[in-house]
Amino acid sequence: MDTLQGMLEGGDSGPALTLGNPKESLIIKAVQYSNAELQMPPKNKMGQGTIAHLREWIAMGAPWPGKFTPDTAQPRERAQ
């Protein structure tokens, strides 16, 4: 979760973000605690206002400071 490219590449569960689509983004599912095995932060659920801001950020295309933009992302191929 340190870089936008890292969130777009994701991990074992897939990409954390689906740009422009909060409903499909794993990070939203995790912070809403909608999956018992995927909850962030693990001990205390975020407030609804914070989750709403995160949804809005994803809907806007997840603007990120610096030179990296989603258009320049080069997702790594996953081992199957």
Side-chain angles (χ1 to χ4, degrees):
M1 299 279 304
D2 292 337
T3 67
L4 180 57
Q5 185 160 359
M7 288 186 277
L8 293 171
E9 290 174 359
D12 293 340
S13 298
L17 292 177
T18 302
L19 296 176
N21 192 343
K23 288 182 180 182
E24 295 299 319
S25 296
L26 286 179
I27 192 169
I28 295 298
K29 294 174 184 178
V31 299
Q32 289 181 334
Y33 281 37
S34 60
N35 179 331
E37 295 181 23
L38 182 65
Q39 296 180 344
M40 284 182 18
K43 294 184 180 183
N44 296 308
K45 188 176 178 181
M46 291 180 175
Q48 290 303 311
T50 302
I51 294 171
H53 285 234
L54 188 56
R55 268 193 225 106
E56 182 180 333
W57 175 70
I58 294 168
M60 293 178 353
W64 195 269
K67 296 179 182 177
F68 177 81
T69 65
D71 295 333
T72 64
Q74 299 297 319
R76 292 180 280 174
E77 290 189 27
R78 293 190 201 291
Q80 297 294 327

